[in-house]
Amino acid sequence: MSNTGKKVSMTVIDVLKSIMDDKAKKLQATIADGRRAKSEEPLICEQITALRRFVVNSRYDRNEMQEAESDLADYEQQAAGIRAKINQAGNAERDIVWVDKFNVSYAQIKQRIKNQPRINILKEQLAAIESDIAKIEHGIDICELNMAPGVYSDEVAQQAQEDMKKYQREYASVVERWRRVANEIRELER
């Protein structure tokens, strides 16, 4: 997700979640209706086929034929309704994917909001560690200048060499601490 600089309150996101939950219930009901309709469709089609044969066979009995045609019209109307439910279920199955994607995003947002106070503390620690690193690097630079041959006395160069070893150990320790904090921030921001 890109950070556009705009913040949305969790209340708004929770409202969207409740709307999506309601939509998901309706979609699931539509899908269930479509499954039932799929099982009913072959039965209705059989009835329609049988009535059509009956109408053809009853063409000489006007009353029987009219009654069968009336029943046939009812069954064809039911078949159209069943087909519409099946089509709606297909659309609902495609739409439910978006509900699932929203739910994944919602969970991620909730987790990020929950983690934000810890992330802020870690970022402050990271800034302090970076300041320590800068101080240590400055000390190393001074030691390198003090160790330059012919610039300062041997005592100053010797002390600078000992200080350099101390700074290098300290630098390795502080950089490792920086890596741990940076990794923790990365994990929490996922």
Side-chain angles (χ1 to χ4, degrees), residues 30-70:
T30 301
I31 291 168
D33 288 347
R35 287 186 183 137
R36 280 191 298 279
K38 266 187 179 176
S39 67
E40 294 171 4
E41 188 176 38
L43 302 173
I44 286 285
C45 288
E46 284 178 29
Q47 289 291 340
I48 290 171
T49 302
L51 279 170
R52 284 183 180 153
R53 273 192 303 250
F54 184 78
V55 167
V56 169
N57 293 335
S58 300
R59 63 181 175 266
Y60 300 110
D61 186 350
R62 184 85 176 128
N63 288 337
E64 289 286 330
M65 192 174 93
Q66 284 179 338
E67 189 177 325
E69 284 177 341
S70 174

Side-chain angles (χ1 to χ4, degrees), residues 52-119:
R52 284 183 180 153
R53 273 192 303 250
F54 184 78
V55 167
V56 169
N57 293 335
S58 300
R59 63 181 175 266
Y60 300 110
D61 186 350
R62 184 85 176 128
N63 288 337
E64 289 286 330
M65 192 174 93
Q66 284 179 338
E67 189 177 325
E69 284 177 341
S70 174
D71 289 345
L72 181 60
D74 288 344
Y75 279 114
E76 286 174 343
Q77 189 175 10
Q78 287 178 20
I82 286 172
R83 178 54 33 205
K85 284 183 182 181
I86 292 170
N87 292 338
Q88 288 171 349
N91 292 336
E93 286 172 348
R94 284 186 293 279
D95 289 347
I96 200 99
V97 170
W98 294 108
V99 172
D100 294 339
K101 287 181 180 185
F102 174 84
N103 287 335
V104 168
S105 295
Y106 175 79
Q108 290 171 341
I109 290 168
K110 271 289 234 212
Q111 190 61 40
R112 282 186 187 161
I113 289 171
K114 177 183 163 199
N115 292 340
Q116 196 58 52
R118 176 73 179 144
I119 290 170

